[in-house]
Amino acid sequence: MKMTFPEAETPDAAAAETGRLLFARESEFVKGVVAMSGLPPADRVEICFAGRSNVGKSTLINALTGTKALARASNTPGRTQEINFFTQGPDLYLVDLPGYGFANAPLPVVEKWQRLLKQYLSGRQTLRRAFFLIDARHGVKPVDAEIMSLLDSAAVTFQCVLTKTDKVKAKDRDRVLAQVRTALAKHPASYPEIVLTSSEKGDGIATLRAIIAGLI
């Protein structure tokens, strides 16, 4: 059966409230990890956010948690090649994976990051889902397809989140959505539903909160 990857539906009142309450809890930065030995205890559900540099990961995490600077911007020195862990109450880790697509990064840095990413995705049993961010202005690029293949090989279910949807006109968004759906259909680990978001406007935030709350 062919998956069509519809847009995620707006949650009902109960699901929306569950999501709101989850993200009303205190959010705290735990640590940045550069090696598997530095991972915090696997004592709660984890969800991670993956996406190329400047896709809006930090902004989305801040919008979900209702904070202005929980996740630092991707140009913050020293944080861009770390796996960053945040607690969201006592039951959930939010995990911010490094932005990929290092145009100017030395090859050894890229290779080290790729090894760490593969080890984390393959070896973290508490990881419930990856949220894979795609910029609505650009759609899926070759480097995105590479990471989706990595998620497939790690058997990590990933759900596409389209970011910055307020930055594109409706006709352009529909074109990008069609391209994204075609790309996702090639990946068995992809969850058959897309979340459309705008961190600036707040669009899709309640939907994504409800989805994450449903994973705990």
Side-chain angles (χ1 to χ4, degrees):
M1 180 177 175
K2 186 177 180 180
M3 293 185 290
T4 57
F5 296 95
E7 297 177 28
E9 295 183 358
T10 301
D12 61 29
E17 180 64 3
T18 300
R20 187 193 70 80
L21 290 173
L22 172 64
F23 283 92
R25 296 174 176 178
E26 187 174 9
S27 309
E28 290 187 347
F29 173 67
V30 178
K31 64 188 306 189
V33 175
V34 296
M36 290 292 286
S37 59
L39 292 178
D43 58 0
R44 66 195 73 193
V45 170
E46 293 176 24
I47 57 102
C48 70
F49 298 89
R52 63 177 179 267
S53 300
N54 301 317
V55 75
K57 277 193 298 95
S58 297
T59 307
L60 180 64
I61 292 171
N62 291 337
L64 285 168
T65 58
T67 61
K68 292 184 178 180
L70 180 69
R72 299 181 187 178
S74 60
N75 61 356
T76 302
R79 293 287 290 274
T80 54
Q81 278 87 52
E82 296 177 350
I83 297 178
N84 293 304
F85 281 78
F86 307 88
T87 55
Q88 185 59 43
D91 305 316
L92 179 65
Y93 278 131
L94 306 177
V95 185
D96 184 10
L97 299 180
Y100 55 84
F102 300 113
N104 300 313
L107 184 59
V109 171
V110 177
E111 291 177 341
K112 180 181 178 181
W113 175 85
Q114 289 175 336
R115 285 196 301 272
L116 177 60
L117 179 61
K118 290 177 182 178
Q119 291 170 347
Y120 169 72
L121 292 172
S122 299
R124 197 66 168 172
Q125 297 301 317
T126 47
L127 179 60
R128 194 63 54 86
R129 185 173 299 177
F131 290 94
F132 185 71
L133 277 55
I134 298 291
D135 191 321
R137 300 172 298 178
H138 307 302
V140 176
K141 293 183 175 292
V143 68
D144 295 316
E146 292 177 14
I147 299 299
M148 287 192 281
S149 295
L150 174 59
L151 289 161
D152 285 338
S153 64
V156 175
T157 298
F158 67 90
Q159 183 164 4
C160 178
V161 176
L162 218 59
T163 63
K164 306 181 184 181
T165 57
D166 60 307
K167 306 295 185 184
V168 295
K169 297 178 180 178
K171 63 180 179 64
D172 295 324
R173 187 181 68 183
D174 291 343
R175 173 182 53 79
V176 169
L177 265 173
Q179 186 251 11
V180 169
R181 285 170 172 140
T182 298
L184 290 173
K186 301 174 183 177
H187 296 278
S190 58
Y191 188 84
E193 196 174 71
I194 300 174
V195 185
L196 274 60
T197 67
S198 164
S199 297
E200 186 173 313
K201 302 291 187 181
D203 299 341
I205 299 302
T207 301
L208 190 52
R209 284 172 174 167
I211 290 170
I212 293 170
L215 296 172
I216 299 178

